[in-house]
Amino acid sequence: MEKRLIMFLFALLQLLLVVNSLSPKHSSAKPNAEVTVMGFVYCDVCSNNTFSTHSYFMSGVEVRILCRFKSASSGTNEMVTFSANRTTNEFGLYKVAITSLDCADVDNLASSCQASLAGRRSSSDLSCNVPGYKTTTDQVVFKSKRSNLCIYGFNALNFRPLKRDLSLCGKK
């Protein structure tokens, strides 16, 4: 139950970050359509696939994003494939905006996205360098009717230390 709550809070935080970062600088008659794919990477210090009090977000991690969207418009039956590499920022966040897709035309039931750990750009944190959750397809989809924006928020990916610190994490 604790893990689900943490993942829900991650998704909610993702939504708030994206909505704040994508707010229009000026108002326009028709907002740009956009699909945003995003997630976090953290260090799972206790190696239990849970964000604990000892965990922290990791910057400088490369993430590979691959998405396939099926158009829901009645006039076509197209599949759009998109892939990109992104590096996490100082908050462990990676995101990519796909402006060529109209959120209203994307059928989320016929869509699939995947995020995978691709490597580390920064070697500043060598204590947490063993991949934990390497790939995720688990996502939460938010659609905004007002701004024509879809947000695909992934469950968090993580790294672990080579050895678990029993003084911090106990014997479990």
Side-chain angles (χ1 to χ4, degrees), residues 144-161:
S144 169
K145 293 178 184 176
R146 219 174 31 167
S147 63
N148 202 16
L149 172 70
C150 289
I151 301 169
Y152 285 74
F154 284 116
N155 279 350
L157 301 169
N158 66 36
F159 282 90
R160 301 173 177 168

Side-chain angles (χ1 to χ4, degrees), residues 94-169:
Y94 63 89
K95 70 178 180 176
V96 61
I98 310 168
T99 56
S100 59
L101 288 177
D102 188 340
C103 180
D105 290 340
V106 174
D107 177 8
N108 65 4
L109 297 176
S111 301
S112 69
C113 282
Q114 173 180 310
S116 304
L117 294 174
R120 303 271 309 268
R121 279 201 181 173
S122 167
S123 59
S124 61
D125 184 11
L126 296 177
S127 65
C128 195
N129 58 5
V130 177
Y133 275 141
K134 299 177 203 174
T135 300
T136 184
T137 56
D138 296 337
Q139 59 196 347
V140 178
V141 180
F142 300 99
K143 285 189 175 186
S144 169
K145 293 178 184 176
R146 219 174 31 167
S147 63
N148 202 16
L149 172 70
C150 289
I151 301 169
Y152 285 74
F154 284 116
N155 279 350
L157 301 169
N158 66 36
F159 282 90
R160 301 173 177 168
L162 184 60
K163 292 187 178 183
R164 186 175 177 177
D165 186 340
L166 296 178
S167 65
L168 288 177
C169 306

Side-chain angles (χ1 to χ4, degrees):
M1 185 66 176
E2 180 182 322
K3 182 178 173 185
R4 286 185 181 167
L5 177 62
I6 290 171
M7 291 304 153
F8 172 77
L9 292 174
F10 273 139
L12 187 58
L13 180 60
Q14 291 171 355
L15 174 64
L16 292 173
L17 287 171
V18 168
V19 169
N20 284 336
S21 68
L22 296 176
S23 346
K25 305 292 185 247
H26 55 11
S27 64
S28 63
K30 183 180 177 192
N32 291 336
E34 190 168 290
V35 173
T36 299
V37 180
M38 61 184 305
F40 288 95
V41 179
Y42 70 96
C43 177
D44 179 14
V45 174
C46 292
S47 301
N48 58 4
N49 290 323
T50 302
F51 193 89
S52 69
T53 56
H54 305 293
S55 300
Y56 55 91
F57 294 107
M58 299 180 70
S59 63
V61 177
E62 288 188 57
V63 178
R64 178 85 173 148
I65 303 161
L66 175 63
C67 295
R68 291 179 184 87
F69 299 99
K70 181 179 179 188
S71 176
S73 61
S74 59
T76 183
N77 190 18
E78 296 176 339
M79 184 67 79
V80 176
T81 301
F82 179 87
S83 66
N85 281 6
R86 289 296 184 262
T87 303
T88 57
N89 66 13
E90 65 271 20
F91 305 110
L93 173 72
Y94 63 89
K95 70 178 180 176
V96 61
I98 310 168
T99 56
S100 59
L101 288 177
D102 188 340
C103 180
D105 290 340
V106 174
D107 177 8
N108 65 4
L109 297 176
S111 301
S112 69
C113 282
Q114 173 180 310
S116 304
L117 294 174
R120 303 271 309 268
R121 279 201 181 173
S122 167
S123 59
S124 61
D125 184 11
L126 296 177
S127 65
C128 195
N129 58 5
V130 177
Y133 275 141
K134 299 177 203 174
T135 300
T136 184
T137 56
D138 296 337
Q139 59 196 347
V140 178
V141 180
F142 300 99
K143 285 189 175 186
S144 169
K145 293 178 184 176
R146 219 174 31 167
S147 63
N148 202 16
L149 172 70
C150 289
I151 301 169
Y152 285 74
F154 284 116
N155 279 350
L157 301 169
N158 66 36
F159 282 90
R160 301 173 177 168
L162 184 60
K163 292 187 178 183
R164 186 175 177 177
D165 186 340
L166 296 178
S167 65
L168 288 177
C169 306
K171 294 182 181 182
K172 277 189 175 181

